Amino acid sequence: MSREIQIIRSACRMCHGVCQVLIHMEGDRVVKITGDPESPISRGYICPKGAASAELLYHPDRLTHPLRRAGKRGEGKWERITWDEALDEIAERFSKIKTESGSEYLAMSQGTGRPYSEFTMRFANAFGTPNFVAVGHVCYMPRVLSSQFTLGQLPVTDVYGFGGKDPECFVIWGCNITYGGGADGMCGGMIKRALKKAKRVIVIDPRRTKPAEKADHWLQIRPGTDGALALAMITTIIDEGLVDHDFVDNHTVGYEQLVEHVKGFTPEWAASITGLNAEEIRSAARTYATTSPACMLWGSAADASASCFQTARAQLILRALTGNIDNPGGDVLWVPPEEVRQRSIFMNPDQMGGHFLPPEKKNRVVTAGKIALEAFVHPPSFWNSVVTGDPYRVRGMWIVGSNPLLCHTHALTTEKALRDHLEFTVVSELFMTPTAELADIVLPAASWLETDDVANLHKIWCVLARKQVVQIGEARDNKEVMIQLAKRLGMHEAFPWKDYHGYLDWVLEPGGMSFEEICDRGLVAGHMRYYKYKENGFATPSGKFEIYSTLAEQMGLSPLPVYREPKLSPLSSPDVAEKYPLILSTGARTKVFFISEGRQIPSLRKANPDPLVEMHSDTARSLGIIDGDWVWIETPEDRIQMRARLFDGIAPNVVSAQHAWWFPEEGPPDYGWKRSNVNLLLGDAAGYDPETGSECLRSSLCKVYPVNAE
Ligand code: SF4
């Protein structure tokens, strides 16, 4: 006899797409997740990761209760403890570190942006530690920060049609969202729809993505050189008289200085750097400047480069020169709903600025003196400081939803820091991981199906309701855990709520909604208005769009965009390139995994069972490699194994290796994390972006050879 299925609307959080979905419940069990066809933000779209949410939810390896280390660190021996025991012990150890050494001797860490990002930063700030370790420097934050400097807020592709116009020209720059599913609060399904309607499509990507196959211009750029291309496109638009002077003359500062500044950055100059043809560059720039409205969907590719902040500034200036700022069908500044308290870290700079942090602690950030501009502590410098004690050795750490052994470069230093130097480490996770194995206490975290939430980290123009439908073991929402711990640590000012639902009520207070009411509505949108700058100007020191950034100038940075060649590249280090002739690009999004997640989910792993390195068939042939062979990828740092996947849509001198691979099925304590971890290949030699500390993850050098050739 078939049982009745109940449908609950929710918002998926298996990645940053935040698609609206339908949860199919049979009794108290989730049996299926499907896309919500009535959703204005995702229109029925769901990707394999979202569809596999129930597999993750009920996976037998889920952590279901708090654990305390029972053997030597990393030995894999654990004892079950209660939540109260865990929280009491954590509070006692954190307090001890603060009293004995100072609050900066505790570090907080999280992985990619999550619904609890606001809370982890709030917790770190309230505790008094500036050491918040995250990977924003290689993903998203260069775009967020450059936008804040240039026009006050991150512009977003206008694909929802609020203004009655669709983008006529669609630029996809270093982003493969229609394959990966979602990014930065946008879902791939919406982009597919917009691409179908656009008259012109420009794709800038070293790999021939699906949209590139049908694009009017596919610029197969050398990885890491996006800044040079952006500058040459600016030059072309100026030289050919394609500038939107109505916007530029009335709403920007610094145009005259820009004209002088870019004179040498011709398409010919950029061609010699990017590997593109000068005429291709001119032609794409013309298409972008003469097809209106035009939007630019930018991904994380250029974030992980030697001039990411400056590249993002150049990409913003391209939008300004063509008048594609806050116009229907262009790149717009979202208006958040007024009924809900705005707490996205991307909209509320107080969240990232250490609101609760005393001034003297702000100067105790571990940066090794390299970084002038970044919201978080620089991970390589941080891990090095723990190992060397220079400038001081952090003693304790709380890692929330992150697997730094897989997701940070300098993986062996990270391992040493966790294994030998940190005195007390807490990890909050869904599953045991190689990183969690090196902790002292492990806390079981709830997945998105196990939490009530008002989701507003990424979408900005709307917030979405997410309802807890299941409880697995004793897993808890990380936000609830932070409130409970904050109470024990006396952090009442930062966490004034009785409990987590008290917090949700506070978030919904401006509109007088209860949590049940927002669940009934599903989505609450802001009232979108375009061309807001005509009335209000921009949130910059001059009130204008700052082509010439006065803030950058004050910080001693170039106020106009510049390009820097990666330190390891065929142009800048020909001696290294002789031994390591291939450009190693990593970090391309996969269809089924979200960073280091999903390797234990059967349906996802079946679709991508082994770590893959893509290479051109000509290159493979010359190296004696056939499709599916296990190969070594070697850099001056180390070597790892992956399977070769032949793909003629990649340049013969570039290989693209999947990142964050580990093998949960191999069990504790190592889970095979050193075999195929691309971060073992990346170290100091590739250099850093001097403004943000970003790392050249897309453009290192390597060699590849068959495993069986030894
Ligand atoms: S794109 Fe992301 S948010 Fe959307 S269904 Fe897939 S995993 Fe979920």
Side-chain angles (χ1 to χ4, degrees):
M1 199 177 75
S2 67
R3 293 189 58 188
E4 200 182 324
I5 300 285
Q6 190 197 355
I7 305 279
I8 297 171
R9 292 182 87 188
S10 191
C12 178
R13 201 53 170 85
M14 292 287 271
C15 85
H16 298 321
V18 202
C19 302
Q20 277 188 297
V21 291
L22 303 177
I23 304 171
H24 301 239
M25 304 281 302
E26 193 176 309
D28 58 4
R29 196 171 171 85
V30 177
V31 290
K32 195 163 64 168
I33 314 278
T34 56
D36 179 355
E38 288 172 23
S39 166
I41 60 165
S42 48
R43 296 179 188 265
Y45 180 78
I46 191 164
C47 82
K49 294 184 281 289
S53 300
E55 275 180 81
L56 179 145
L57 181 70
Y58 297 119
H59 197 289
D61 295 344
R62 279 286 303 277
L63 289 165
T64 52
H65 42 259
L67 298 171
R68 181 197 284 132
R69 175 163 65 83
K72 289 199 188 107
R73 178 165 292 149
E75 203 182 3
K77 291 191 180 149
W78 301 93
E79 61 175 342
R80 179 177 176 167
I81 53 174
T82 66
W83 268 105
D84 275 341
E85 284 171 324
L87 294 176
D88 287 346
E89 184 170 336
I90 294 167
E92 189 199 320
R93 296 293 295 265
F94 284 4
S95 296
K96 191 165 182 281
I97 288 170
K98 188 173 189 167
T99 313
E100 289 177 355
S101 303
S103 50
E104 68 270 36
Y105 284 76
L106 178 78
M108 287 287 287
S109 179
Q110 81 162 74
T112 187
R114 297 286 186 187
Y116 48 78
S117 294
E118 173 207 4
F119 270 48
T120 42
M121 285 187 188
R122 187 180 279 264
F123 190 95
N125 292 341
F127 188 84
T129 179
N131 289 319
F132 188 87
V133 189
V135 289
H137 67 308
V138 291
C139 186
Y140 202 41
M141 291 316 296
R143 283 170 284 156
V144 173
L145 291 166
S146 63
S147 299
Q148 288 173 349
F149 272 56
T150 309
L151 71 164
Q153 187 182 332
L154 184 87
V156 189
T157 310
D158 187 33
V159 294
Y160 300 104
F162 303 128
K165 269 193 191 174
D166 296 312
E168 296 264 323
C169 175
F170 206 112
V171 181
I172 307 186
W173 197 321
C175 181
N176 197 7
I177 185 173
T178 57
Y179 179 73
D184 311 333
M186 182 74 76
C187 94
M190 294 305 286
I191 300 302
K192 273 188 197 163
R193 289 169 64 95
L195 284 169
K196 271 192 198 136
K197 291 185 194 168
K199 291 204 171 66
R200 294 277 182 272
V201 174
I202 301 170
V203 175
I204 298 156
D205 203 299
R207 298 170 62 254
R208 191 179 60 230
T209 59
K210 272 266 178 253
E213 286 173 10
K214 294 191 190 149
D216 300 274
H217 306 266
W218 169 38
L219 304 185
Q220 192 180 20
I221 191 168
R222 174 164 68 93
T225 65
D226 305 78
L229 172 63
L231 285 166
M233 288 175 73
I234 290 173
T235 308
T236 303
I237 289 168
I238 293 173
D239 286 354
E240 300 196 3
L242 303 176
V243 171
D244 178 338
H245 278 287
D246 183 36
F247 181 83
V248 168
D249 297 350
N250 294 309
H251 304 291
T252 71
V253 290
Y255 177 67
E256 297 307 325
Q257 290 106 312
L258 178 75
V259 171
E260 280 304 307
H261 176 74
V262 298
K263 273 190 176 145
F265 302 137
T266 62
E268 283 70 20
W269 164 81
S272 68
I273 294 168
T274 58
L276 300 167
N277 173 299
E279 207 37 52
E280 267 183 292
I281 298 173
R282 279 199 183 87
S283 177
R286 261 178 228 134
T287 299
Y288 176 62
T290 57
T291 317
S292 178
C295 69
M296 188 189 291
L297 179 74
W298 50 355
S300 63
D303 292 338
S305 74
S307 44
C308 57
F309 175 76
Q310 299 289 353
T311 299
R313 289 253 307 128
Q315 291 167 317
L316 290 164
I317 290 168
L318 278 169
R319 295 170 168 107
L321 293 180
T322 55
N324 284 301
I325 294 284
D326 219 15
N327 56 326
D331 290 310
V332 297
L333 306 180
W334 291 135
V335 179
E338 285 170 6
E339 299 101 306
V340 179
R341 279 207 161 87
Q342 180 52 248
R343 57 196 176 83
S344 167
I345 58 167
F346 305 124
M347 289 293 286
N348 186 347
D350 271 355
Q351 293 289 348
M352 289 194 291
H355 180 64
F356 295 96
L357 211 56
E360 70 274 13
K361 294 294 181 195
K362 289 183 185 176
N363 299 328
R364 295 283 281 162
V365 180
V366 173
T367 64
K370 289 177 193 159
I371 314 307
L373 170 71
E374 174 52 49
F376 311 128
V377 170
H378 187 231
S381 301
F382 171 78
W383 293 115
N384 190 51
S385 78
V386 177
V387 171
T388 62
D390 178 23
Y392 57 95
R393 176 174 286 128
V394 162
R395 296 174 55 190
M397 191 159 186
W398 187 4
I399 300 172
V400 187
S402 180
N403 200 346
L405 286 186
L406 277 308
C407 303
H408 293 189
T409 59
H410 302 73
L412 295 180
T413 306
T414 306
E415 183 195 23
K416 198 167 172 44
L418 285 163
R419 191 186 292 280
D420 301 334
H421 294 288
L422 284 171
E423 292 169 29
F424 182 66
T425 304
V426 180
V427 170
S428 299
E429 260 301 351
L430 295 160
F431 295 93
M432 262 299 178
T433 66
T435 300
E437 287 288 346
L438 297 177
D440 298 280
I441 288 188
V442 177
L443 301 176
S447 74
W448 68 272
L449 289 157
E450 301 156 74
T451 57
D452 285 338
D453 209 350
V454 178
N456 82 347
L457 177 69
H458 271 303
K459 281 283 186 238
I460 311 298
W461 67 269
C462 66
V463 295
L464 300 159
R466 180 177 295 134
K467 198 163 174 45
Q468 178 179 7
V469 294
V470 195
Q471 174 70 46
I472 299 294
E474 297 175 13
R476 279 192 193 172
D477 187 337
N478 289 323
K479 298 193 279 311
E480 175 71 50
V481 177
M482 281 180 236
I483 289 178
Q484 297 307 327
L485 205 47
K487 281 194 193 313
R488 284 167 165 80
L489 291 164
M491 288 152 43
H492 304 297
E493 191 195 350
F495 294 87
W497 313 286
K498 186 169 137 274
D499 55 22
Y500 176 59
H501 278 88
Y503 162 79
L504 287 178
D505 291 343
W506 173 78
V507 168
L508 296 169
E509 196 177 56
M513 260 180 299
S514 67
F515 183 66
E516 291 309 318
E517 280 166 331
I518 195 173
C519 287
D520 288 344
R521 286 173 69 174
L523 177 150
V524 178
H527 301 288
M528 184 56 191
R529 288 170 288 117
Y530 293 86
Y531 304 113
K532 295 178 286 297
Y533 58 82
K534 290 186 181 176
E535 277 174 43
N536 311 328
F538 290 100
T540 59
S542 64
K544 303 243 178 172
F545 182 107
E546 296 206 353
I547 291 174
Y548 187 98
S549 170
T550 47
L551 277 177
E553 187 175 39
Q554 279 165 24
M555 292 181 74
L557 314 176
S558 173
L560 290 162
V562 292
Y563 168 72
R564 291 181 205 103
E565 178 69 16
K567 224 167 128 190
L568 272 188
S569 87
L571 295 193
S572 60
S573 55
D575 48 331
V576 182
E578 207 168 298
K579 195 164 172 216
Y580 300 96
L582 296 169
I583 295 170
L584 170 64
S585 179
T586 182
R589 300 297 183 247
T590 70
K591 201 179 188 71
V592 291
F593 303 128
F594 188 46
I595 316 177
S596 66
E597 292 177 19
R599 303 304 191 284
Q600 61 280 87
I601 309 297
S603 69
L604 302 180
R605 188 66 183 277
K606 197 171 160 210
N608 193 151
D610 297 311
L612 299 175
V613 55
E614 278 179 345
M615 58 197 310
H616 196 280
S617 58
D618 290 349
T619 312
R621 201 174 307 118
S622 71
L623 295 168
I625 294 166
I626 59 171
D627 194 46
D629 272 357
W630 282 98
V631 296
W632 286 112
I633 310 168
E634 184 177 321
T635 70
E637 298 287 331
D638 210 333
R639 68 176 188 170
I640 60 165
Q641 289 185 14
M642 289 198 177
R643 263 194 206 281
R645 160 69 54 86
L646 305 197
F647 174 50
D648 286 350
I650 194 166
N653 64 341
V654 178
V655 298
S656 174
Q658 292 183 339
H659 66 298
W661 260 93
W662 59 299
F663 302 89
E665 70 277 12
E666 293 186 15
D670 284 347
Y671 305 92
W673 75 269
K674 289 182 183 166
R675 194 162 68 248
S676 302
N677 176 7
V678 82
N679 274 318
L680 287 164
L681 305 182
L682 301 160
D684 286 330
Y688 300 101
D689 170 45
E691 279 123 7
T692 64
S694 183
E695 304 175 69
C696 298
L697 308 182
R698 311 287 184 154
S699 59
S700 198
L701 291 173
C702 73
K703 65 179 175 183
V704 176
Y705 49 95
V707 165
N708 60 16
E710 290 182 308

